[in-house]
PDB file of all heavy atoms in Angstrom:
ATOM      1  N   ARG A  26       3.345 -10.222  19.951  1.00  0.00           N
ATOM      2  CA  ARG A  26       3.675 -11.566  19.407  1.00  0.00           C
ATOM      3  C   ARG A  26       3.093 -11.825  18.045  1.00  0.00           C
ATOM      4  O   ARG A  26       1.943 -11.356  17.788  1.00  0.00           O
ATOM      5  CB  ARG A  26       3.088 -12.648  20.453  1.00  0.00           C
ATOM      6  CG  ARG A  26       3.675 -12.612  21.749  1.00  0.00           C
ATOM      7  CD  ARG A  26       5.176 -12.853  21.762  1.00  0.00           C
ATOM      8  NE  ARG A  26       5.855 -12.851  23.015  1.00  0.00           N
ATOM      9  CZ  ARG A  26       6.553 -11.710  23.447  1.00  0.00           C
ATOM     10  NH1 ARG A  26       6.675 -10.725  22.611  1.00  0.00           N
ATOM     11  NH2 ARG A  26       7.198 -11.751  24.618  1.00  0.00           N
ATOM     12  N   LEU A  27       3.838 -12.499  17.299  1.00  0.00           N
ATOM     13  CA  LEU A  27       3.461 -12.717  15.837  1.00  0.00           C
ATOM     14  C   LEU A  27       3.354 -14.194  15.637  1.00  0.00           C
ATOM     15  O   LEU A  27       4.026 -15.076  16.192  1.00  0.00           O
ATOM     16  CB  LEU A  27       4.571 -12.206  14.980  1.00  0.00           C
ATOM     17  CG  LEU A  27       5.114 -10.827  15.145  1.00  0.00           C
ATOM     18  CD1 LEU A  27       6.322 -10.520  14.186  1.00  0.00           C
ATOM     19  CD2 LEU A  27       3.998  -9.823  14.965  1.00  0.00           C
ATOM     20  N   MET A  28       2.330 -14.593  14.729  1.00  0.00           N
ATOM     21  CA  MET A  28       2.097 -15.977  14.403  1.00  0.00           C
ATOM     22  C   MET A  28       2.078 -16.149  12.859  1.00  0.00           C
ATOM     23  O   MET A  28       2.022 -15.125  12.113  1.00  0.00           O
ATOM     24  CB  MET A  28       0.795 -16.399  15.077  1.00  0.00           C
ATOM     25  CG  MET A  28      -0.440 -15.681  14.728  1.00  0.00           C
ATOM     26  SD  MET A  28      -1.303 -16.193  13.261  1.00  0.00           S
ATOM     27  CE  MET A  28      -2.131 -17.658  13.926  1.00  0.00           C
ATOM     28  N   TYR A  29       2.014 -17.389  12.427  1.00  0.00           N
ATOM     29  CA  TYR A  29       2.018 -17.674  10.965  1.00  0.00           C
ATOM     30  C   TYR A  29       0.709 -18.347  10.706  1.00  0.00           C
ATOM     31  O   TYR A  29       0.498 -19.634  11.049  1.00  0.00           O
ATOM     32  CB  TYR A  29       3.204 -18.639  10.651  1.00  0.00           C
ATOM     33  CG  TYR A  29       4.475 -17.976  10.857  1.00  0.00           C
ATOM     34  CD1 TYR A  29       5.181 -17.914  12.167  1.00  0.00           C
ATOM     35  CD2 TYR A  29       5.108 -17.180   9.865  1.00  0.00           C
ATOM     36  CE1 TYR A  29       6.334 -17.224  12.262  1.00  0.00           C
ATOM     37  CE2 TYR A  29       6.323 -16.578   9.940  1.00  0.00           C
ATOM     38  CZ  TYR A  29       6.958 -16.593  11.273  1.00  0.00           C
ATOM     39  OH  TYR A  29       8.162 -15.961  11.501  1.00  0.00           O
ATOM     40  N   PRO A  30      -0.232 -17.712  10.032  1.00  0.00           N
ATOM     41  CA  PRO A  30      -1.544 -18.235   9.794  1.00  0.00           C
ATOM     42  C   PRO A  30      -1.599 -19.396   8.796  1.00  0.00           C
ATOM     43  O   PRO A  30      -0.807 -19.479   7.856  1.00  0.00           O
ATOM     44  CB  PRO A  30      -2.383 -17.046   9.296  1.00  0.00           C
ATOM     45  CG  PRO A  30      -1.318 -16.076   8.705  1.00  0.00           C
ATOM     46  CD  PRO A  30      -0.055 -16.333   9.514  1.00  0.00           C
ATOM     47  N   ARG A  31      -2.502 -20.284   9.141  1.00  0.00           N
ATOM     48  CA  ARG A  31      -2.737 -21.422   8.279  1.00  0.00           C
ATOM     49  C   ARG A  31      -3.330 -20.895   6.924  1.00  0.00           C
ATOM     50  O   ARG A  31      -4.070 -19.876   6.861  1.00  0.00           O
ATOM     51  CB  ARG A  31      -3.645 -22.445   8.848  1.00  0.00           C
ATOM     52  CG  ARG A  31      -3.130 -23.132  10.094  1.00  0.00           C
ATOM     53  CD  ARG A  31      -4.106 -24.149  10.627  1.00  0.00           C
ATOM     54  NE  ARG A  31      -3.611 -24.751  11.780  1.00  0.00           N
ATOM     55  CZ  ARG A  31      -2.879 -25.864  11.874  1.00  0.00           C
ATOM     56  NH1 ARG A  31      -2.522 -26.464  10.752  1.00  0.00           N
ATOM     57  NH2 ARG A  31      -2.450 -26.377  13.039  1.00  0.00           N
ATOM     58  N   VAL A  32      -3.123 -21.644   5.793  1.00  0.00           N
ATOM     59  CA  VAL A  32      -3.639 -21.248   4.553  1.00  0.00           C
ATOM     60  C   VAL A  32      -3.750 -22.457   3.596  1.00  0.00           C
ATOM     61  O   VAL A  32      -2.896 -23.330   3.712  1.00  0.00           O
ATOM     62  CB  VAL A  32      -2.792 -20.119   3.937  1.00  0.00           C
ATOM     63  CG1 VAL A  32      -1.405 -20.618   3.565  1.00  0.00           C
ATOM     64  CG2 VAL A  32      -3.484 -19.547   2.659  1.00  0.00           C
ATOM     65  N   GLN A  33      -4.767 -22.453   2.767  1.00  0.00           N
ATOM     66  CA  GLN A  33      -4.830 -23.424   1.725  1.00  0.00           C
ATOM     67  C   GLN A  33      -4.823 -22.686   0.421  1.00  0.00           C
ATOM     68  O   GLN A  33      -5.372 -21.594   0.304  1.00  0.00           O
ATOM     69  CB  GLN A  33      -6.130 -24.316   1.832  1.00  0.00           C
ATOM     70  CG  GLN A  33      -6.273 -25.108   3.116  1.00  0.00           C
ATOM     71  CD  GLN A  33      -7.540 -25.890   3.223  1.00  0.00           C
ATOM     72  OE1 GLN A  33      -7.702 -26.819   2.310  1.00  0.00           O
ATOM     73  NE2 GLN A  33      -8.394 -25.562   4.163  1.00  0.00           N
ATOM     74  N   VAL A  34      -4.160 -23.282  -0.607  1.00  0.00           N
ATOM     75  CA  VAL A  34      -3.932 -22.540  -1.873  1.00  0.00           C
ATOM     76  C   VAL A  34      -4.343 -23.511  -2.955  1.00  0.00           C
ATOM     77  O   VAL A  34      -3.784 -24.586  -3.061  1.00  0.00           O
ATOM     78  CB  VAL A  34      -2.498 -22.031  -2.030  1.00  0.00           C
ATOM     79  CG1 VAL A  34      -2.332 -21.177  -3.319  1.00  0.00           C
ATOM     80  CG2 VAL A  34      -2.124 -21.302  -0.761  1.00  0.00           C
ATOM     81  N   VAL A  35      -5.157 -23.034  -3.860  1.00  0.00           N
ATOM     82  CA  VAL A  35      -5.470 -23.734  -5.175  1.00  0.00           C
ATOM     83  C   VAL A  35      -4.945 -22.903  -6.342  1.00  0.00           C
ATOM     84  O   VAL A  35      -5.342 -21.708  -6.450  1.00  0.00           O
ATOM     85  CB  VAL A  35      -7.003 -23.950  -5.281  1.00  0.00           C
ATOM     86  CG1 VAL A  35      -7.330 -24.653  -6.621  1.00  0.00           C
ATOM     87  CG2 VAL A  35      -7.499 -24.744  -4.126  1.00  0.00           C
ATOM     88  N   GLY A  36      -4.058 -23.482  -7.073  1.00  0.00           N
ATOM     89  CA  GLY A  36      -3.419 -22.679  -8.136  1.00  0.00           C
ATOM     90  C   GLY A  36      -3.387 -23.344  -9.528  1.00  0.00           C
ATOM     91  O   GLY A  36      -3.626 -24.587  -9.644  1.00  0.00           O
ATOM     92  N   ALA A  37      -3.062 -22.562 -10.548  1.00  0.00           N
ATOM     93  CA  ALA A  37      -2.951 -23.123 -11.924  1.00  0.00           C
ATOM     94  C   ALA A  37      -1.953 -22.231 -12.646  1.00  0.00           C
ATOM     95  O   ALA A  37      -1.851 -21.077 -12.338  1.00  0.00           O
ATOM     96  CB  ALA A  37      -4.295 -23.113 -12.627  1.00  0.00           C
ATOM     97  N   ASP A  38      -1.311 -22.695 -13.630  1.00  0.00           N
ATOM     98  CA  ASP A  38      -0.375 -21.915 -14.507  1.00  0.00           C
ATOM     99  C   ASP A  38      -0.255 -22.481 -15.855  1.00  0.00           C
ATOM    100  O   ASP A  38      -0.590 -23.658 -16.117  1.00  0.00           O
ATOM    101  CB  ASP A  38       1.029 -21.823 -13.832  1.00  0.00           C
ATOM    102  CG  ASP A  38       1.627 -23.235 -13.614  1.00  0.00           C
ATOM    103  OD1 ASP A  38       2.187 -23.672 -14.633  1.00  0.00           O
ATOM    104  OD2 ASP A  38       1.700 -23.707 -12.492  1.00  0.00           O
ATOM    105  N   LEU A  39       0.162 -21.658 -16.830  1.00  0.00           N
ATOM    106  CA  LEU A  39       0.487 -22.169 -18.160  1.00  0.00           C
ATOM    107  C   LEU A  39       1.547 -21.250 -18.759  1.00  0.00           C
ATOM    108  O   LEU A  39       1.799 -20.122 -18.333  1.00  0.00           O
ATOM    109  CB  LEU A  39      -0.771 -22.059 -19.043  1.00  0.00           C
ATOM    110  CG  LEU A  39      -1.446 -20.735 -19.252  1.00  0.00           C
ATOM    111  CD1 LEU A  39      -0.806 -19.925 -20.379  1.00  0.00           C
ATOM    112  CD2 LEU A  39      -2.921 -20.875 -19.501  1.00  0.00           C
ATOM    113  N   ALA A  40       2.256 -21.777 -19.694  1.00  0.00           N
ATOM    114  CA  ALA A  40       3.367 -21.117 -20.379  1.00  0.00           C
ATOM    115  C   ALA A  40       3.575 -21.673 -21.773  1.00  0.00           C
ATOM    116  O   ALA A  40       3.306 -22.897 -21.973  1.00  0.00           O
ATOM    117  CB  ALA A  40       4.677 -21.193 -19.611  1.00  0.00           C
ATOM    118  N   ALA A  41       4.039 -20.816 -22.703  1.00  0.00           N
ATOM    119  CA  ALA A  41       4.263 -21.354 -24.051  1.00  0.00           C
ATOM    120  C   ALA A  41       5.236 -20.372 -24.791  1.00  0.00           C
ATOM    121  O   ALA A  41       5.333 -19.190 -24.427  1.00  0.00           O
ATOM    122  CB  ALA A  41       2.903 -21.425 -24.830  1.00  0.00           C
ATOM    123  N   SER A  42       5.740 -20.894 -25.828  1.00  0.00           N
ATOM    124  CA  SER A  42       6.521 -20.038 -26.778  1.00  0.00           C
ATOM    125  C   SER A  42       5.865 -20.155 -28.064  1.00  0.00           C
ATOM    126  O   SER A  42       5.583 -21.223 -28.621  1.00  0.00           O
ATOM    127  CB  SER A  42       7.951 -20.629 -26.940  1.00  0.00           C
ATOM    128  OG  SER A  42       8.725 -19.906 -27.825  1.00  0.00           O
ATOM    129  N   LEU A  43       5.387 -18.984 -28.590  1.00  0.00           N
ATOM    130  CA  LEU A  43       4.430 -18.937 -29.732  1.00  0.00           C
ATOM    131  C   LEU A  43       5.242 -18.758 -31.061  1.00  0.00           C
ATOM    132  O   LEU A  43       5.778 -17.677 -31.325  1.00  0.00           O
ATOM    133  CB  LEU A  43       3.529 -17.758 -29.558  1.00  0.00           C
ATOM    134  CG  LEU A  43       2.699 -17.710 -28.237  1.00  0.00           C
ATOM    135  CD1 LEU A  43       1.791 -16.490 -28.211  1.00  0.00           C
ATOM    136  CD2 LEU A  43       1.921 -19.032 -28.098  1.00  0.00           C
ATOM    137  N   PRO A  44       5.330 -19.840 -31.834  1.00  0.00           N
ATOM    138  CA  PRO A  44       6.071 -19.716 -33.119  1.00  0.00           C
ATOM    139  C   PRO A  44       5.646 -18.767 -34.072  1.00  0.00           C
ATOM    140  O   PRO A  44       6.325 -18.211 -34.857  1.00  0.00           O
ATOM    141  CB  PRO A  44       6.081 -21.179 -33.634  1.00  0.00           C
ATOM    142  CG  PRO A  44       4.831 -21.826 -33.029  1.00  0.00           C
ATOM    143  CD  PRO A  44       4.750 -21.173 -31.685  1.00  0.00           C
ATOM    144  N   TRP A  45       4.246 -18.507 -34.138  1.00  0.00           N
ATOM    145  CA  TRP A  45       3.740 -17.653 -35.146  1.00  0.00           C
ATOM    146  C   TRP A  45       3.955 -16.221 -34.730  1.00  0.00           C
ATOM    147  O   TRP A  45       3.680 -15.251 -35.495  1.00  0.00           O
ATOM    148  CB  TRP A  45       2.284 -17.893 -35.340  1.00  0.00           C
ATOM    149  CG  TRP A  45       1.412 -17.700 -34.150  1.00  0.00           C
ATOM    150  CD1 TRP A  45       0.867 -16.494 -33.632  1.00  0.00           C
ATOM    151  CD2 TRP A  45       0.914 -18.629 -33.238  1.00  0.00           C
ATOM    152  NE1 TRP A  45       0.203 -16.714 -32.511  1.00  0.00           N
ATOM    153  CE2 TRP A  45       0.228 -18.004 -32.184  1.00  0.00           C
ATOM    154  CE3 TRP A  45       1.166 -20.107 -33.037  1.00  0.00           C
ATOM    155  CZ2 TRP A  45      -0.360 -18.707 -31.110  1.00  0.00           C
ATOM    156  CZ3 TRP A  45       0.605 -20.734 -32.084  1.00  0.00           C
ATOM    157  CH2 TRP A  45      -0.162 -20.066 -31.139  1.00  0.00           C
ATOM    158  N   LEU A  46       4.519 -15.948 -33.514  1.00  0.00           N
ATOM    159  CA  LEU A  46       4.907 -14.649 -33.122  1.00  0.00           C
ATOM    160  C   LEU A  46       6.429 -14.553 -32.859  1.00  0.00           C
ATOM    161  O   LEU A  46       6.826 -13.906 -31.818  1.00  0.00           O
ATOM    162  CB  LEU A  46       4.067 -14.193 -31.887  1.00  0.00           C
ATOM    163  CG  LEU A  46       2.560 -13.949 -32.073  1.00  0.00           C
ATOM    164  CD1 LEU A  46       1.966 -13.662 -30.805  1.00  0.00           C
ATOM    165  CD2 LEU A  46       2.421 -12.839 -33.111  1.00  0.00           C
ATOM    166  N   ALA A  47       7.150 -15.274 -33.648  1.00  0.00           N
ATOM    167  CA  ALA A  47       8.620 -15.170 -33.531  1.00  0.00           C
ATOM    168  C   ALA A  47       9.113 -15.728 -32.226  1.00  0.00           C
ATOM    169  O   ALA A  47      10.024 -15.127 -31.565  1.00  0.00           O
ATOM    170  CB  ALA A  47       9.248 -13.770 -33.844  1.00  0.00           C
ATOM    171  N   ASP A  48       8.372 -16.745 -31.719  1.00  0.00           N
ATOM    172  CA  ASP A  48       8.765 -17.440 -30.412  1.00  0.00           C
ATOM    173  C   ASP A  48       8.589 -16.488 -29.252  1.00  0.00           C
ATOM    174  O   ASP A  48       9.362 -16.566 -28.282  1.00  0.00           O
ATOM    175  CB  ASP A  48      10.219 -17.969 -30.489  1.00  0.00           C
ATOM    176  CG  ASP A  48      10.312 -19.187 -31.457  1.00  0.00           C
ATOM    177  OD1 ASP A  48       9.325 -19.947 -31.559  1.00  0.00           O
ATOM    178  OD2 ASP A  48      11.410 -19.330 -32.047  1.00  0.00           O
ATOM    179  N   LEU A  49       7.559 -15.669 -29.278  1.00  0.00           N
ATOM    180  CA  LEU A  49       7.264 -14.871 -28.123  1.00  0.00           C
ATOM    181  C   LEU A  49       6.886 -15.734 -27.006  1.00  0.00           C
ATOM    182  O   LEU A  49       6.032 -16.627 -27.072  1.00  0.00           O
ATOM    183  CB  LEU A  49       6.064 -13.930 -28.564  1.00  0.00           C
ATOM    184  CG  LEU A  49       5.586 -12.996 -27.333  1.00  0.00           C
ATOM    185  CD1 LEU A  49       6.466 -11.812 -27.151  1.00  0.00           C
ATOM    186  CD2 LEU A  49       4.144 -12.543 -27.720  1.00  0.00           C
ATOM    187  N   GLY A  50       7.498 -15.465 -25.809  1.00  0.00           N
ATOM    188  CA  GLY A  50       7.156 -16.186 -24.631  1.00  0.00           C
ATOM    189  C   GLY A  50       6.075 -15.589 -23.869  1.00  0.00           C
ATOM    190  O   GLY A  50       5.961 -14.402 -23.740  1.00  0.00           O
ATOM    191  N   VAL A  51       5.055 -16.377 -23.388  1.00  0.00           N
ATOM    192  CA  VAL A  51       3.944 -15.936 -22.593  1.00  0.00           C
ATOM    193  C   VAL A  51       3.695 -16.852 -21.406  1.00  0.00           C
ATOM    194  O   VAL A  51       4.040 -18.068 -21.582  1.00  0.00           O
ATOM    195  CB  VAL A  51       2.683 -15.777 -23.488  1.00  0.00           C
ATOM    196  CG1 VAL A  51       2.799 -14.810 -24.577  1.00  0.00           C
ATOM    197  CG2 VAL A  51       2.232 -17.172 -24.072  1.00  0.00           C
ATOM    198  N   TRP A  52       3.212 -16.292 -20.303  1.00  0.00           N
ATOM    199  CA  TRP A  52       2.918 -17.148 -19.195  1.00  0.00           C
ATOM    200  C   TRP A  52       1.766 -16.466 -18.414  1.00  0.00           C
ATOM    201  O   TRP A  52       1.590 -15.254 -18.438  1.00  0.00           O
ATOM    202  CB  TRP A  52       4.072 -17.458 -18.283  1.00  0.00           C
ATOM    203  CG  TRP A  52       4.787 -16.180 -17.851  1.00  0.00           C
ATOM    204  CD1 TRP A  52       4.576 -15.461 -16.736  1.00  0.00           C
ATOM    205  CD2 TRP A  52       5.953 -15.555 -18.443  1.00  0.00           C
ATOM    206  NE1 TRP A  52       5.412 -14.391 -16.563  1.00  0.00           N
ATOM    207  CE2 TRP A  52       6.316 -14.474 -17.659  1.00  0.00           C
ATOM    208  CE3 TRP A  52       6.746 -15.807 -19.534  1.00  0.00           C
ATOM    209  CZ2 TRP A  52       7.349 -13.587 -17.929  1.00  0.00           C
ATOM    210  CZ3 TRP A  52       7.761 -14.980 -19.907  1.00  0.00           C
ATOM    211  CH2 TRP A  52       8.048 -13.913 -19.109  1.00  0.00           C
ATOM    212  N   ALA A  53       1.096 -17.305 -17.571  1.00  0.00           N
ATOM    213  CA  ALA A  53       0.052 -16.794 -16.652  1.00  0.00           C
ATOM    214  C   ALA A  53       0.010 -17.776 -15.603  1.00  0.00           C
ATOM    215  O   ALA A  53       0.070 -19.005 -15.634  1.00  0.00           O
ATOM    216  CB  ALA A  53      -1.285 -16.671 -17.342  1.00  0.00           C
ATOM    217  N   GLU A  54      -0.024 -17.228 -14.311  1.00  0.00           N
ATOM    218  CA  GLU A  54      -0.024 -18.027 -13.185  1.00  0.00           C
ATOM    219  C   GLU A  54      -0.954 -17.376 -12.079  1.00  0.00           C
ATOM    220  O   GLU A  54      -0.841 -16.136 -11.859  1.00  0.00           O
ATOM    221  CB  GLU A  54       1.382 -18.150 -12.645  1.00  0.00           C
ATOM    222  CG  GLU A  54       1.484 -19.026 -11.346  1.00  0.00           C
ATOM    223  CD  GLU A  54       2.941 -19.191 -10.906  1.00  0.00           C
ATOM    224  OE1 GLU A  54       3.807 -18.893 -11.731  1.00  0.00           O
ATOM    225  OE2 GLU A  54       3.157 -19.689  -9.710  1.00  0.00           O
ATOM    226  N   GLY A  55      -1.785 -18.143 -11.452  1.00  0.00           N
ATOM    227  CA  GLY A  55      -2.699 -17.577 -10.400  1.00  0.00           C
ATOM    228  C   GLY A  55      -2.997 -18.539  -9.398  1.00  0.00           C
ATOM    229  O   GLY A  55      -2.901 -19.776  -9.557  1.00  0.00           O
ATOM    230  N   ALA A  56      -3.445 -18.001  -8.244  1.00  0.00           N
ATOM    231  CA  ALA A  56      -3.746 -18.900  -7.098  1.00  0.00           C
ATOM    232  C   ALA A  56      -4.909 -18.224  -6.220  1.00  0.00           C
ATOM    233  O   ALA A  56      -4.880 -16.955  -6.055  1.00  0.00           O
ATOM    234  CB  ALA A  56      -2.674 -19.186  -6.264  1.00  0.00           C
TER     235      ALA A  56
END
């Protein structure tokens, strides 16, 4: 038998397009 465990998640993320690097896209996301 299988069950679905409870979980709490705290997360954060950011993203940007950097004009001084020819609009290079960057992102980071973690939890």
Side-chain angles (χ1 to χ4, degrees):
R26 296 296 177 261
L27 311 175
M28 55 92 75
Y29 296 86
R31 296 181 182 271
V32 64
Q33 300 181 62
V34 185
V35 178
D38 61 76
L39 59 85
S42 180
L43 306 179
W45 61 85
L46 291 177
D48 291 327
L49 177 75
V51 294
W52 56 84
E54 180 178 347

